[in-house]
Amino acid sequence: MVKDKKKTKTVYNRIVIKLGTSLLTNDTSHLNHDMMAKLVAQIARLHRQGCEIIIVSSGAIASGKDKLGLPKKVNGIPYKQVCSSVGQSRLMNTYEQLFDPYNITIAQGLLTKTNLKDRSGYLNTRNTLLALMELGVISIINENDMVAVDEIKEAKFGDNDNLSAMVANMVDADLLLILTEVDGLFTADPHTNADAKLIPEVEHIDSGIERLAKGTTSKLGMGGMITKIEAARLATDSGVAVIIANGRIPDILPEVISGEKLGTLFKPVTSKLDSRDRWMLSGLSTKGKIIIDDGAAEALKKQKRSLLAAGIKKVDGKFQRGDIINIQNETGATLGAGITNYSAQDINIIKGMQSQKIATMLGCDYGAEVIHRNNLVIL
Ligand code: GLU
C-alpha cells in the first residue's frame, strides 16, 4: 500500500477525468507506463481525500496496434475493432497494476450510444456508476469499439471526448476534466502560431469559440479540439464545469481540483439539473427539432411558460408524439429540449396558429401545449 500524506483542498468533488491516447502513449505507439503511473498517483491522492472519480480512458486501439505489431496508421474496419479488442484488456491490466498499490479497486465500463438511448439503459448505467462510486471503486470507461463501428453512426460516440461528456452528464459530475497534451484552448493553433495565447476561461461556447477549435488535432486520438469543444458544450449545458488542461504538467490533477487556474475553464451555463432534464439535453434520444420565434423564446425563458403552436416557425425531422425534440431560435442557437405532445406532421399543420384552432385543424386535440412546461428543459 502506497502512503500519500499530501493534502489538497478541493473545489470539485465528483470528477470525470478523460485521458486521451496521445497523453497515455506520450505520443509514442504504445502505452507509456511512466506517464500512466504519474496520472494514477495523482488520481489516487484525490481518491484518498474523498473525491468521487470516474475515468474515461482511450488507449485501447493504440495498445492493440502495438501488441499486434501493426503500423500506427492502420485504420478502418475491422482493424480498429480488432486492435481495440486486443488493447482493451491490456489497458485495463495496466490500470489494475497501477491502482493496486494504492489499494484502489477499479471497474471496467464499455459503453455505446445504443446502450444509453433508451431511458432504462441510461438509468441502469447511471445507477451502476453511482453504486460503484459509493463503494469507492473507480470506474474506467471506454467506448465499446467492438460493437460500435463507424458505419453505425447513431450507435457510436465516435470519440471519447463526447463519451466523457455523456458520462459527466449521467452522473451529475461537478467537473469534467479533459486531460490532453496541449495546455487548453488557444486564440490560434499553438503548433503553428507562436503568438497563440491560452484562453483561461470561456463563459459561453459560441461560434467564435467553435472556429478557434477547428484545425487543432492530435496525432493518435480520434478527437481534436473540435470534439473537446462539442463535449464541453454538452457538459456545460448539463450544469457541469469543464476544464481542458495539459496532463503532462506535474501534479496537474490536484492543482486543478484545488481551483488553480490552469488550462481552459468552461463555465456551466445552467445550475445543476435533475436527471431527466440532463437526459433530455444529452441529445441521445432527440428525434428532431422545432424553430421558434423570439416572442415564444422569451415566454419560455423568462416567464417559464409552455410552448404553444403560435410561436413555432419551422419543424425539422420525423418525430412522433412523446418523442424528445430540440428547441432552437431562428439563428440556430439551442434553447432547450422537451417531450412533444404532437408529431412533426401535426406541428407542420398547426404551427403559427392559435391553440383553439388545433382540434379543427387536426381532428383531434392533445391540449394547447405543444410542449408542456413540465416536460421542458430550457437552458
Ligand atoms: N476508444 C478508443 C480507444 O480506446 C479511443 C477513442 C478516442 O481517442 O477518442 O483507443
Side-chain angles (χ1 to χ4, degrees):
M1 166 98 180
V2 175
K3 287 262 159 60
D4 186 351
K5 296 203 181 68
K6 287 185 225 162
K7 267 244 162 223
T8 318
K9 107 178 155 7
T10 51
V11 172
Y12 306 100
N13 184 53
R14 183 172 291 177
I15 311 147
V16 174
I17 302 167
K18 191 263 170 174
L19 303 174
T21 302
S22 307
L23 180 63
L24 296 173
T25 59
N26 205 10
D27 265 340
T28 65
S29 56
H30 51 83
L31 295 176
N32 185 298
H33 204 272
D34 283 354
M35 175 61 76
M36 289 180 72
K38 281 184 194 142
L39 293 165
V40 166
Q42 295 173 55
I43 293 170
R45 183 164 147 196
L46 297 175
H47 182 266
R48 275 170 67 80
Q49 290 178 212
C51 285
E52 297 176 306
I53 296 163
I54 292 181
I55 298 172
V56 174
S57 177
S58 305
I61 294 177
S63 172
K65 258 184 207 171
D66 176 43
K67 172 74 179 167
L68 293 165
L70 294 170
K72 248 194 195 186
K73 279 280 167 241
V74 171
N75 274 324
I77 294 167
Y79 296 111
K80 275 200 248 166
Q81 279 61 51
V82 166
C83 293
S84 171
S85 312
V86 172
Q88 180 62 29
S89 62
R90 289 163 60 81
L91 180 68
M92 286 308 289
N93 189 28
T94 309
Y95 278 120
E96 191 89 53
Q97 282 176 26
L98 292 171
F99 274 110
D100 214 41
Y102 298 98
N103 218 7
I104 293 175
T105 306
I106 57 169
Q108 173 180 260
L110 295 176
L111 296 176
T112 67
K113 251 190 187 173
T114 318
N115 300 147
L116 308 181
K117 261 185 159 191
D118 67 293
R119 182 93 180 114
S120 64
Y122 178 94
L123 287 177
N124 289 341
T125 310
R126 175 174 185 267
N127 290 342
T128 311
L129 290 174
L130 293 178
L132 284 163
M133 221 151 40
E134 215 172 297
L135 290 169
V137 174
I138 295 185
S139 297
I140 301 179
I141 295 173
N142 199 353
E143 179 144 31
N144 192 347
D145 291 315
M146 193 187 225
V147 298
V149 295
D150 291 331
E151 270 68 8
I152 321 168
K153 285 250 164 25
E154 62 279 10
K156 194 166 167 66
F157 290 102
D159 59 82
N160 278 358
D161 297 321
N162 274 292
L163 173 61
S164 66
M166 198 58 71
V167 171
N169 160 307
M170 209 162 22
V171 300
D172 196 13
D174 301 318
L175 176 71
L176 166 61
L177 176 56
I178 300 181
L179 287 184
T180 177
E181 76 289 10
V182 290
D183 287 340
L185 180 67
F186 283 79
T187 52
D189 188 347
H191 300 117
T192 54
N193 190 331
D195 294 331
K197 295 212 166 31
L198 180 75
I199 302 174
E201 212 166 279
V202 173
E203 203 74 40
H204 197 81
I205 299 168
D206 54 20
S207 51
I209 295 292
E210 279 164 354
R211 255 196 313 277
L212 288 180
K214 289 190 181 135
T216 344
T217 48
S218 65
K219 292 176 205 121
L220 273 177
M222 309 254 180
M225 198 45 88
I226 300 174
T227 55
K228 290 177 182 45
I229 299 300
E230 275 170 20
R233 183 194 287 282
L234 168 58
T236 53
D237 278 359
S238 312
V240 181
V242 177
I243 294 175
I244 299 176
N246 191 338
R248 290 182 181 148
I249 296 174
D251 277 342
I252 183 75
L253 271 150
E255 298 270 342
V256 162
I257 303 312
S258 66
E260 278 303 316
K261 299 218 176 315
L262 284 161
T264 303
L265 165 69
F266 299 79
K267 291 189 163 175
V269 299
T270 56
S271 51
K272 294 266 169 170
L273 298 169
D274 75 24
S275 161
R276 195 181 72 136
D277 289 353
R278 280 184 276 122
W279 181 63
M280 288 205 282
L281 280 176
S282 73
L284 283 164
S285 303
T286 309
K287 295 278 165 46
K289 64 178 177 211
I290 44 179
I291 288 91
I292 64 171
D293 64 25
D294 290 345
E298 181 94 357
L300 296 188
K301 258 191 149 126
K302 306 237 163 89
Q303 296 152 37
K304 312 222 174 297
R305 300 260 184 85
S306 296
L307 177 66
L308 306 180
I312 300 176
K313 302 292 277 187
K314 234 180 113 194
V315 185
D316 198 4
K318 283 190 187 135
F319 52 84
Q320 302 304 322
R321 170 174 153 78
D323 282 342
I324 296 173
I325 55 173
N326 260 326
I327 303 164
Q328 291 187 352
N329 66 14
E330 289 181 89
T331 61
T334 298
L335 303 171
I339 300 171
T340 177
N341 283 330
Y342 291 90
S343 67
Q345 211 179 359
D346 286 351
I347 300 176
N348 258 318
I349 299 170
I350 60 172
K351 64 176 192 267
M353 285 184 179
Q354 295 305 314
S355 306
Q356 55 279 22
K357 294 201 179 132
I358 292 179
T360 335
M361 295 304 295
L362 299 181
C364 66
D365 186 345
Y366 298 117
E369 303 85 8
V370 171
I371 302 179
H372 193 277
R373 182 76 228 163
N374 294 343
N375 293 325
L376 192 61
V377 47
I378 292 298
L379 292 172

